[in-house]
Amino acid sequence: MRPGLASLGSALLLVATAACGGGEAPSTAADEAIARAGDDEEREGLVAARDDIDERMRREAAEKDAEIDRLRKENEALRRRLRR
């Protein structure tokens, strides 16, 4: 694999993981805003928005992971063809 593609894949994975707070735990990026919410309704709205964004980022990360896997397989297939 080309070093640039590996670096891109690593960077995308790192950004996606950071954006999502990793795993299934909610991200912490909005914690300060949620803590400053004026009332329960505002807090619930901010938590819902955070959760929606987290889910979207997880989906995007999964799509990028799938694309990286596809490109790796394509790269390997091309390398095998070149060796013939």
Side-chain angles (χ1 to χ4, degrees):
M1 176 182 299
R2 294 185 324 201
L5 185 56
S7 297
L8 174 61
S10 297
L12 288 173
L13 188 58
L14 180 63
V15 168
T17 301
C20 296
E24 293 296 318
S27 65
T28 58
D31 284 355
E32 188 176 323
I34 292 169
R36 287 193 318 254
D39 57 31
D40 288 343
E41 182 180 3
E42 182 180 5
R43 185 174 301 103
E44 289 170 10
L46 290 169
V47 168
R50 179 209 52 207
D51 292 347
D52 288 346
I53 292 168
D54 283 354
E55 180 58 32
R56 184 176 27 163
M57 291 295 102
R58 283 186 189 99
R59 279 194 314 271
E60 288 180 18
E63 289 171 7
K64 286 175 178 34
D65 286 344
E67 178 69 4
I68 290 167
D69 286 342
R70 185 191 67 76
L71 289 171
R72 283 185 180 142
K73 290 175 185 173
E74 181 181 320
N75 190 29
E76 284 302 313
L78 290 171
R79 286 179 188 267
R80 282 192 299 275
R81 286 178 59 194
L82 286 174
R83 287 186 218 142
R84 291 182 192 176

